[in-house]
Amino acid sequence: MGFIWILTSMLTACAAINIGSTGSHSTFTCEPITLRMCQGLSYNTTFMPNLLNHYDQQTAALAMEPFHPMVNLECSPDLRPFLCALYVPVCTEYGRVTLPCRRLCQQAKSDCYKLMDIFGVSWPEEMACNRFPDCDEPYPRAVDLLSSADATQEAPASVQRDYGFWCPRELKVDPELGYSFLGARDCSAPCPNMYFDRDKLLFARYFIGVVSIVCLSATLFTFLTFLLDVSRFRYPERPIIFYAVCYMMVSLVFFLGFLLEERVACNRSAPGLFRAATITQGSHNKACTLLFMTLYFFTMAGSVWWVVLTITWFLAAVPKWGSEAIEKKALLFHAAAWGVPGTLTVALMALNKVEGDSLSGVCFVGLYDVSALRWFLLAPLILDVAVGVALLLAGIAALNRVRMEIPLEKENQDKLVKFMIRIGVFSVLYLVPLLTVIGCYLYEQSYRSVWEITWVQERCREYHIPCPFKVERTSRPDISLFLIKYLMMLVVGIPSVFWVGSKKTCFEWASFFHGHRRKDTVHESRQVLQEPDFTQLLLRESGAPVVRKSRGTSTQGTSTHASSTHLAMLDEPVSGSSSHAGTMRSKANSFHGSLHRSRDGRYTACSVRGAEERPPHGSMQRLHEQLQHSSSNRLDSQSRHGGSQRLDSQSRHSSVRDLSCTPQAVQSGPGNGIHRVLKEDVATA
């Protein structure tokens, strides 16, 4: 039982690199004993790795150094053969491991225990005597020597053994850090990148830096445009702003990685301890942890905000929710968009899955751990894409059904088509980069094991570790794959610029740089492609009047009473008792006459109102006199209280324009609908 336990523990410690049909093997051959302490025994050949998982005799000699004083002082005649049986065992036939007897172990330990206490040497746990077979024979046995002679006559390549990956001494790290690399504990990947040379790494770093600057500029422009007029971007398109903010932070982290180079992603080398520079893992490096938290959190949050955006579009298109109804669910949207990525980030930190990326200079997840790549990157991204595409297609199908079934004016038909095209283009600009990133991750996790076994095969002699045996497939990654991955990770945030890009945006920035803000009311509020209630406008019942509300548009609208009145007037159904042409002329005249432009450039309604019924012709003169009297009184009052020439000019200009409204209304002819207003004014007077 002891023999079986030792054999099982030894094979478990040699973790194999899983590459499917390709195993990790090395040639099993006998080699001469070079350790001075073990020379002159009854055998002169050994094999590596030994029973204590030392992959060469040099490593075994370093591990035996604490026992040199006891061997030199000859505290026990059994100590030297027992130590040599473990550190340089006799080379026997393949598949046979010869262990020393338990009696030999107990005798050596009992004879040298006091001397070991004096030198401060403890008996190693892996050398516990109960792990060896219960027998009382010298080492090596006679049968072992015979099989050893037979084994040396065989060709070295005829005997193989599964060694697995052995962590080189240069890549060893402190056990308390919890590192692992290729299944070996207390081991980390080399830094700089294990796959590419310095020239390729330098080109990739500058490439990522330039792309991060471009994406950072684009997303920052989107966010600043939002800050210029917060009310302009309302639901269902408000998630685009948060989506842009997320990828702005992602770009910022990659730009910081470009500036930091390898100072955060890699641990420094320690030549005195025979340790090379290695990849940072875990959360012990505070700067690396901060970069990882920011990058992973906002990467996942950006994908979730994309799903929220498709949900708001779906609610606006299918159940016909308005902007206010969708905005009531904003708290739920924020809880999901920030809570889910936060939970995943905390889980990764608890699992110690943070890894440095020497290629980009940042810290991320799934760079060397394939399981973390599958469950914390691929699974969330694929789920977000599936849900978002399903909701997007449902919303577009609903809008297309509206276009085909509900009769709309040609103007609104064209605007609906443009709106659908706009959604489609924005979605394609987002989905193509994201799907490319997912494809790169899938390709990477499929070929990662092949790349690793190829690297071990190329560097095993340099690191003095067992080389893989019978490697049927070798491959090295192409730098272009990683460049495309990083490019698409950053480009995915740029589509937000195309959504906010419009004449309104140019107008706002021009006004901002000139030091004043102006609002073009009527023309831009009619751009219903960007109105928050555009879906309600298109999805009304057939024959119902359209009432457009301009309460802050998505990219071009402004909120004015005049624009809403004008749009509602144009869409009013034709009355059977009056002339349509006359009514339209009368309303247009009433509308233009009722607008008064204030100092800040906004239009407000003045006192003259339009109506639909015609007043008697006898009241025309009285109306004219009343308007003149009212205008003169207002002029006198403003001049008397203001005391300035500017107020007098404004009042005179306002009165002239008010007086000009009356002839236009009177000359509109029969059926213009103004006589009823005149009659009501006379009765009031």
Side-chain angles (χ1 to χ4, degrees):
M1 292 298 295
F3 167 75
I4 297 176
W5 194 94
I6 286 290
L7 180 60
T8 304
S9 62
M10 183 184 66
L11 294 177
T12 303
C14 302
I17 303 176
N18 182 19
I19 58 169
S21 61
T22 303
S24 177
H25 294 77
S26 183
T27 302
F28 179 85
T29 58
C30 295
E31 55 185 76
I33 296 177
T34 59
L35 271 69
R36 182 176 301 177
M37 183 187 298
C38 297
Q39 291 178 344
L41 297 176
S42 57
Y43 63 97
N44 58 4
T45 59
T46 185
F47 65 91
M48 288 291 156
N50 58 22
L51 302 179
L52 299 178
N53 294 336
H54 301 129
Y55 49 82
D56 59 8
Q57 294 190 52
Q58 181 181 3
T59 307
L62 293 175
M64 290 180 67
E65 286 184 356
F67 295 97
H68 283 183
M70 277 68 71
V71 174
N72 294 333
L73 294 175
E74 297 181 354
C75 61
S76 173
D78 297 324
L79 180 61
R80 179 168 172 254
F82 174 72
L83 293 175
C84 293
L86 296 179
Y87 288 95
V88 282
V90 61
C91 184
T92 61
E93 61 184 359
Y94 169 69
R96 217 176 138 217
V97 180
T98 301
L99 298 176
C101 291
R102 184 181 303 175
R103 177 65 180 171
L104 183 66
C105 173
Q106 293 173 347
Q107 189 65 36
K109 183 178 180 180
S110 61
D111 292 344
C112 301
Y113 188 79
K114 294 182 179 180
L115 190 61
M116 292 175 63
D117 288 342
I118 295 175
F119 285 95
V121 179
S122 59
W123 193 264
E125 183 180 356
E126 60 269 16
M127 293 170 51
C129 296
N130 57 358
R131 296 186 175 185
F132 302 107
D134 189 7
C135 61
D136 187 8
E137 297 181 11
Y139 188 88
R141 305 177 186 86
V143 64
D144 297 332
L145 296 176
L146 293 176
S147 60
S148 174
D150 296 337
T152 55
Q153 298 176 0
E154 297 182 6
S158 61
V159 182
Q160 302 93 24
R161 182 181 176 188
D162 185 359
Y163 285 163
F165 173 74
W166 294 70
C167 183
R169 179 175 58 178
E170 294 84 352
L171 304 182
K172 285 283 188 178
V173 296
D174 296 334
E176 61 269 14
L177 297 178
Y179 283 20
S180 64
F181 175 55
L182 301 183
R185 299 182 60 182
D186 305 329
C187 188
S188 183
C191 188
N193 193 276
M194 56 191 286
Y195 300 125
F196 308 112
D197 54 26
R198 282 285 183 180
D199 294 336
K200 292 182 179 179
L201 290 176
L202 185 62
F203 174 78
R205 182 171 295 114
Y206 276 95
F207 177 82
I208 297 172
V210 171
V211 176
S212 64
I213 292 174
V214 174
C215 184
L216 179 61
S217 303
T219 51
L220 182 61
F221 172 78
T222 302
F223 181 60
L224 294 179
T225 302
F226 166 72
L227 294 181
L228 288 179
D229 188 1
V230 177
S231 62
R232 176 180 163 192
F233 300 93
R234 304 183 66 204
Y235 287 94
E237 63 179 359
R238 178 66 66 83
I240 295 179
I241 304 302
F242 301 113
Y243 156 87
V245 171
C246 291
Y247 284 100
M248 180 181 69
M249 298 301 298
V250 170
S251 305
L252 179 61
V253 172
F254 275 108
F255 179 68
L256 292 177
F258 166 72
L259 298 178
L260 294 171
E261 295 181 346
E262 299 172 356
R263 290 190 288 271
V264 173
C266 299
N267 299 315
R268 294 181 179 179
S269 60
L273 301 176
F274 302 100
R275 291 182 179 178
T278 56
I279 292 295
T280 302
Q281 297 184 29
S283 57
H284 69 93
N285 189 321
K286 300 300 184 283
C288 181
T289 303
L290 182 61
L291 291 178
F292 159 75
M293 292 175 59
T294 306
L295 180 58
Y296 182 79
F297 175 80
F298 283 104
T299 300
M300 293 294 104
S303 62
V304 176
W305 275 116
W306 150 254
V307 177
V308 172
L309 178 63
T310 58
I311 291 174
T312 56
W313 277 344
F314 177 82
L315 295 176
V318 179
K320 306 178 184 179
W321 283 25
S323 178
E324 292 81 2
I326 298 176
E327 194 168 359
K328 291 180 180 179
K329 305 296 181 181
L331 183 60
L332 182 61
F333 296 152
H334 282 274
W338 306 121
V340 173
T343 303
L344 293 176
T345 304
V346 172
L348 282 171
M349 294 182 61
L351 295 174
N352 210 30
K353 297 296 183 180
V354 182
E355 297 170 343
D357 184 8
S358 60
L359 197 63
S360 62
V362 302
C363 294
F364 204 50
V365 63
L367 300 171
Y368 300 94
D369 191 340
V370 178
S371 61
L373 172 64
R374 292 170 181 168
W375 293 107
F376 289 93
L377 274 178
L378 282 175
L381 291 178
I382 293 176
L383 180 62
D384 291 343
V385 169
V387 175
V389 170
L391 294 173
L392 179 66
L393 294 178
I396 292 179
L399 291 179
N400 186 65
R401 186 168 58 252
V402 169
R403 185 179 66 86
M404 300 298 295
E405 296 179 358
I406 300 179
L408 298 173
E409 299 85 348
K410 185 178 185 304
E411 178 186 2
N412 290 335
Q413 284 277 5
D414 296 338
K415 291 176 180 179
L416 176 57
V417 173
K418 291 180 181 179
F419 182 70
M420 294 172 61
I421 294 175
R422 197 158 176 250
I423 294 177
V425 171
F426 177 82
S427 302
V428 169
L429 291 176
Y430 172 81
L431 289 174
V432 169
L434 184 59
L435 292 176
T436 304
V437 172
I438 293 176
C440 291
Y441 280 137
L442 290 174
Y443 183 85
E444 187 176 345
Q445 66 95 23
S446 300
Y447 284 86
R448 178 76 63 80
S449 57
V450 180
W451 299 340
E452 291 170 349
I453 199 65
T454 302
W455 176 81
V456 174
Q457 185 182 33
E458 294 176 350
R459 306 296 295 273
C460 61
R461 291 175 178 82
E462 177 184 349
Y463 284 128
H464 303 286
I465 59 176
C467 294
F469 184 73
K470 289 185 178 180
V471 178
E472 299 177 357
R473 186 180 183 184
T474 60
S475 176
R476 294 182 62 86
D478 193 349
I479 188 66
S480 60
L481 172 70
F482 292 88
L483 295 181
I484 292 174
K485 181 181 72 173
Y486 290 115
L487 174 65
M488 295 304 170
M489 286 180 65
L490 293 167
V491 167
V492 73
I494 295 181
S496 60
V497 177
F498 296 98
W499 186 268
V500 302
S502 64
K503 294 181 181 179
K504 175 63 178 177
T505 300
C506 298
F507 173 78
E508 285 191 347
W509 279 105
S511 301
F512 174 78
F513 286 119
H514 285 84
H516 59 86
R517 300 282 304 278
R518 295 185 62 226
K519 301 258 182 191
D520 189 0
T521 57
V522 178
H523 175 71
E524 293 180 355
S525 64
R526 295 186 64 183
Q527 303 295 325
V528 294
L529 284 179
Q530 291 83 26
E531 288 183 1
D533 290 337
F534 177 60
T535 306
Q536 290 186 355
L537 168 70
L538 297 173
L539 301 182
R540 72 187 193 281
E541 298 297 334
S542 179
V546 179
V547 178
R548 297 180 181 139
K549 299 178 181 179
S550 179
R551 298 168 303 205
T553 63
S554 59
T555 57
Q556 292 186 356
T558 54
S559 178
T560 60
H561 170 74
S563 60
S564 300
T565 307
H566 185 52
L567 294 176
M569 175 192 68
L570 294 179
D571 288 323
E572 184 177 2
V574 180
S575 175
S577 62
S578 62
S579 171
H580 176 69
T583 303
M584 295 301 294
R585 287 195 302 269
S586 174
K587 290 181 179 179
N589 293 331
S590 301
F591 163 71
H592 290 292
S594 61
L595 290 181
H596 177 268
R597 182 164 182 167
S598 61
R599 300 177 188 176
D600 60 353
R602 302 176 70 95
Y603 289 94
T604 56
C606 62
S607 59
V608 179
R609 294 173 299 146
E612 294 183 358
E613 294 186 4
R614 184 174 57 187
H617 292 283
S619 62
M620 296 299 298
Q621 184 66 25
R622 178 182 296 179
L623 174 64
H624 187 69
E625 293 176 355
Q626 290 178 354
L627 291 175
Q628 287 181 339
H629 179 70
S630 175
S631 300
S632 61
N633 289 338
R634 185 165 67 253
L635 283 171
D636 295 338
S637 176
Q638 290 180 352
S639 301
R640 183 166 53 254
H641 290 85
S644 66
Q645 186 176 359
R646 182 168 55 86
L647 286 178
D648 184 40
S649 176
Q650 290 180 354
S651 301
R652 192 174 294 112
H653 174 71
S654 175
S655 64
V656 171
R657 184 174 56 189
D658 291 338
L659 290 174
S660 64
C661 295
T662 306
Q664 295 177 2
V666 173
Q667 294 174 6
S668 60
N672 59 5
I674 197 172
H675 295 297
R676 183 174 59 185
V677 176
L678 298 176
K679 184 177 180 180
E680 291 173 356
D681 292 340
V682 171
T684 304

